[in-house]
Amino acid sequence: MSNEIDVSKFEKKIELRNIEFQDLDEILALQKICFPNNMEPWTREQLESHLRIFPEGQFCVTYEGEIVGSCSSLMVNFDEYDDKHTWDEITDKGYITNHDPEGFNLYGIEVMVHPEFRRMKIGARLYEARKELAEQKNLKSIILGGRIPNYHKYENEMTPREYVKEVIQHNIYDPVLTFQLMNGFTVMRLNKSYLPDDKQSKAYATLMEWNNVDFIPNKTKKYFKTSEPVRITAIQYMMKTIDSFEDFATQVEYYTDVASDQGSDFAVFPELLTTQLLSFCEEKSPSSAIRRLTEFTEQYIELFTNLAVRYNVNIIGGSHFVEEDGDIYNVAYLFRRDGTIDKQYKLHITPNERKWWGISPGDQIQVFDTDCGKIAILICYDIEFPELSRIVTDQGAKIIFTPFCTEDRQGYLRVRYCSQARAIENEIYTAIAGTVGNLSQVENMDIQYAQSGIFTPSDFAFPRDGIVGECHPNIETVVVGDVDLEILRRQRKTGSVTLLRDRRLDLYSVVQKDKSK
């Protein structure tokens, strides 16, 4: 009887998966092999931007653990672009910061396969991955600008249009165009100066499209809008002496009710509003008092979760001190009206917080999905560091909420002016909510200064002074205002200035580091 053959020694492992950050060195090396001396290569910053903004749209194929092919893509609403667009325009110069999660189309911006593996259907696997992604997301089509790399061999014999016609009729073989036609793509038009550094294609590209036959328009969540208003209530919260947690709950519920009665999508409470609970605690030492305050964490979370659901409003619950593994953090919670919860740790700790309370900084910059789009929360001092706002904007945030607590007018103006600057330079909306009144018997929380407000970019489509609304300073009140996400989207494309689009990403970039490594 013959021995059983061990088939494992003949096995070859090929895998298609999403690209990860640890793959980037291999991807950078692969492109030098695939496109030697022909086109300007990716930069690491561009590839990192792809993974931060749209990780599920970036694929690679590995063979025996080695990356032998990759592709990149983003989502767009193609009706918003000129058919004669260039690669730089459709990719925001390779950084895909124009990626639109609500877009109708997947746009392919790069496919590359190692020359030694080009007979193994690597490109076909990558194209199939794109098609599956388009089907999963119920996208209308996949669009791409295809190179015609063999055209330089025929440029003296025929025009680019004639060359494309010959390839379509199978009279000429082109490694890219022929492959795309075989994979179900059709030619929409020919674009001149698509990739100026593509010498083989003489800068020309074919605009190609693959239609998703399973696309269901009436079931997609995406549709054109004339307006997409989001109503915000910023609460200028009075810090006054109370006798119990129930008193605190009554005051908080009153303002939640006010926001709900106004039909608000978001109610924003100020930073450190739970320090009001110290007015009935016995602790006098600031550090001891703060640790005593952390004992209310579960009650605080339960209270705001119930209010968000009961009053049908998303609540930014100010901020609260939380103890974790012996350290104290200043944490802002997002209580969604569907009952789910997220949180943002304060990242920059003021000298005052370190001195009196020994607060530790958080390490994660978060962007949160809500039923009104993506938002971010930057707590007080954090809004004064422009890098944070740029990072959350690049990750899709359209509104930045800033709960704050400041003692004097100078501190308040730092928060306000920086919040308005962030709205302008990132083409987003910002809202600030602060504390007023006093807690004379609570150490380090004796005086407050605030004028809460809701701010916009500065252009014709927005209020004249970039202010949706603002409270009168230093009184207990709220400000209610609408911000329109559709106007914001349009202004980013056609405003008097387009700050995000016009950034010199070839000269500078803001990079978020991975603290887990």
Side-chain angles (χ1 to χ4, degrees), residues 84-316:
K84 300 176 183 178
H85 65 273
T86 66
W87 186 89
D88 276 348
E89 291 170 345
I90 202 71
T91 68
D92 196 10
K93 299 181 179 177
Y95 289 85
I96 72 166
T97 51
N98 58 319
H99 167 72
D100 182 1
E102 299 299 313
F104 283 96
N105 314 96
L106 188 71
Y107 196 103
I109 57 174
E110 181 67 281
V111 172
M112 55 185 176
V113 177
H114 194 295
E116 295 178 8
F117 297 86
R118 287 180 180 168
R119 300 289 181 181
M120 296 176 58
K121 305 293 184 182
I122 304 299
R125 294 171 192 264
L126 294 168
Y127 270 60
E128 285 304 311
R130 281 179 174 170
K131 291 176 183 178
E132 289 179 11
L133 180 62
E135 290 166 353
Q136 289 168 8
K137 290 186 168 294
N138 191 33
L139 301 180
K140 185 178 180 180
S141 69
I142 301 174
I143 297 175
L144 51 84
R147 300 174 59 234
I148 45 175
N150 275 1
Y151 175 62
H152 69 283
K153 300 177 182 179
Y154 297 87
E155 62 174 316
N156 295 326
E157 304 174 27
M158 59 186 71
T159 67
R161 179 181 294 277
E162 292 169 339
Y163 174 82
V164 169
K165 183 178 180 180
E166 289 296 307
V167 175
I168 292 174
Q169 293 177 349
H170 301 286
N171 296 324
I172 295 176
Y173 170 80
D174 184 277
V176 175
L177 179 54
T178 300
F179 172 79
Q180 290 163 344
L181 293 168
M182 294 295 291
N183 276 274
F185 283 77
T186 57
V187 177
M188 298 167 65
R189 61 168 289 113
L190 188 66
N191 281 12
K192 184 178 181 181
S193 302
Y194 183 79
L195 268 173
D197 57 336
D198 184 1
K199 298 176 183 177
Q200 291 180 330
S201 304
K202 299 302 174 182
Y204 284 92
T206 53
L207 189 62
M208 311 282 289
E209 184 172 28
W210 171 87
N211 289 290
N212 176 14
V213 296
D214 294 320
F215 174 63
I216 307 174
N218 63 337
K219 289 190 177 181
T220 181
K221 66 178 181 179
K222 298 174 288 294
Y223 50 90
F224 289 105
K225 300 168 183 171
T226 56
S227 179
E228 189 179 1
V230 175
R231 182 160 295 176
I232 298 169
T233 294
I235 298 155
Q236 197 154 282
Y237 189 89
M238 175 66 73
M239 301 292 270
K240 53 192 175 186
T241 301
I242 55 176
D243 296 321
S244 65
F245 186 88
E246 288 68 29
D247 288 347
F248 171 75
T250 298
Q251 187 172 344
V252 167
E253 182 170 3
Y254 167 77
Y255 283 115
T256 305
D257 189 14
V258 168
S260 179
D261 283 346
Q262 296 297 322
S264 299
D265 297 294
F266 291 97
V268 193
F269 285 87
E271 180 189 28
L272 303 184
L273 84 163
T274 58
T275 55
Q276 186 181 28
L277 299 171
L278 295 177
S279 62
F280 62 82
C281 293
E282 301 269 333
E283 299 288 350
K284 298 301 179 185
S285 163
S287 58
S288 298
I290 291 308
R291 292 193 178 272
R292 173 75 176 90
L293 187 60
T294 64
E295 297 175 10
F296 292 97
T297 300
E298 290 190 6
Q299 287 177 271
Y300 159 81
I301 292 174
E302 183 178 15
L303 168 65
F304 276 95
T305 301
N306 290 336
L307 292 175
V309 173
R310 182 147 46 99
Y311 286 95
N312 192 34
V313 59
N314 300 302
I315 300 175
I316 286 83

